[in-house]
Amino acid sequence: MLNENIGFGQANNIGLKYALMNNYDYVYLLNQDAYLEPDTIEILIDILKNNVNLGIISPMQINENGEYDRNFEKCIPKEFYINQKKEDYYLVNFVMAAHWLLPLQVLREIGGFNPFFFHYDEDCNFVDRVIYKGYNVAISPLVKAIHDRHERIVTKEFIASNDRRRIGTIILNPNYTVLGIVKQLYLHFFVVLKHSLIYCSLKFVLGYICGFKHISKMIGYRKKQITKQAFL
């Protein structure tokens, strides 16, 4: 029992470390508001066994009404809608960690979630590191799973928080060179500026500037996160 809230990523790291210590074959990450069909894990394991290049696979994430989760729908590639005959899986650049199946080998190479992220974007960083190590990320239309969460009211405070956290995901993305980081931060500044103009508020720009106050910590985590079993 923990005496404090250590955040989504570090809490999951406790379970991931346990899986490594006990030499499990796979780990399934499941949110507290998410549910599985009886055969979901079995089908996904079969896909991973036949495709060793996959580092993460997710079922199709639906809400309580049977519709695609709003954020998951953004992850679905165009090929899924174009193909009449559905493939066993489709490669994606990202999928939320509400439903993830990972082979143990990936944990050995990638490690756990980066503790820099307390809540939100830890899954973005993990996916970036999986791709950096040469693995693919996929979703499978063979199975569905429920992510039963209520629609979040998007406030300007939430948008400002996302803008600030985005700085961490950019700097900690191992797929970016130093020049790539500078370019992405430059482009992101114009997104922040747009939000400032839309909401007539300087808090977005100020938040962007504040996002750099932990730059030394980010640099340290950037180096550590590419080592084997990082953060576990």
Side-chain angles (χ1 to χ4, degrees):
M1 178 71 69
L2 298 175
N3 295 321
E4 61 177 333
N5 182 1
I6 60 176
F8 178 90
Q10 290 195 73
N12 272 284
N13 282 353
I14 295 173
L16 298 180
K17 185 175 182 179
Y18 184 86
L20 277 173
M21 291 172 57
N22 289 276
N23 203 34
Y24 291 169
D25 295 322
Y26 301 93
V27 172
Y28 195 94
L29 299 188
L30 181 70
N31 272 21
Q32 74 277 10
D33 56 356
Y35 308 91
L36 290 169
E37 297 292 335
D39 58 352
T40 298
I41 294 179
E42 181 180 357
I43 292 174
L44 293 180
I45 285 177
D46 284 342
I47 295 175
L48 289 184
K49 284 181 177 178
N50 294 316
N51 300 275
V52 295
N53 61 310
L54 295 182
I56 299 173
I57 191 165
S58 168
M60 308 300 280
Q61 299 183 27
I62 61 176
N63 60 26
E64 67 275 17
N65 298 318
E67 302 167 339
Y68 289 126
D69 176 273
R70 177 170 49 85
N71 287 336
F72 179 82
E73 195 167 19
K74 298 174 185 177
C75 305
I76 301 175
K78 293 179 180 178
E79 292 79 9
F80 173 78
Y81 297 105
I82 294 173
N83 295 348
Q84 293 296 320
K85 180 181 181 300
K86 300 304 180 189
E87 305 292 340
D88 289 350
Y89 66 89
Y90 291 85
L91 300 183
V92 295
N93 294 321
F94 173 74
V95 62
M96 309 96 65
H99 288 278
W100 274 7
L101 180 68
L102 306 94
L104 196 70
Q105 180 59 29
V106 168
L107 295 184
R108 291 196 181 103
E109 293 190 42
I110 309 299
F113 288 101
N114 192 323
F116 179 80
F117 302 97
F118 182 81
H119 188 208
Y120 297 124
D121 290 343
E122 60 283 301
D123 50 356
C124 295
N125 174 260
F126 193 91
V127 167
D128 290 338
R129 289 155 56 204
V130 166
I131 293 172
Y132 177 76
K133 290 290 186 177
Y135 289 97
N136 291 319
V137 179
I139 59 175
S140 175
L142 299 183
V143 281
K144 294 180 179 180
I146 296 173
H147 189 188
D148 186 14
R149 59 175 173 175
H150 297 290
E151 288 294 322
R152 184 185 298 112
I153 298 175
V154 179
T155 63
K156 65 180 181 181
E157 288 76 16
F158 184 78
I159 294 172
S161 178
N162 277 349
D163 286 347
R164 186 170 59 252
R165 286 196 311 273
R166 174 67 180 151
I167 293 170
T169 62
I170 291 172
I171 294 175
L172 289 167
N173 187 338
N175 299 290
Y176 291 147
T177 62
V178 173
L179 185 61
I181 290 173
V182 172
K183 178 181 177 181
Q184 292 300 319
L185 290 173
Y186 174 77
L187 294 173
H188 181 53
F189 176 75
F190 286 98
V191 174
V192 172
L193 194 60
K194 177 182 176 181
H195 292 157
S196 290
L197 294 173
I198 291 174
Y199 292 99
C200 299
S201 173
L202 283 175
K203 71 165 48 181
F204 296 92
V205 175
L206 294 175
Y208 179 87
I209 296 171
C210 289
F212 291 94
K213 68 180 180 179
H214 298 301
I215 185 68
S216 60
K217 182 184 290 187
M218 284 187 269
I219 292 172
Y221 280 142
R222 180 177 169 85
K223 294 177 180 177
K224 183 176 181 180
Q225 69 181 1
I226 59 175
T227 60
K228 287 192 174 183
Q229 296 186 26
F231 313 121
L232 292 181

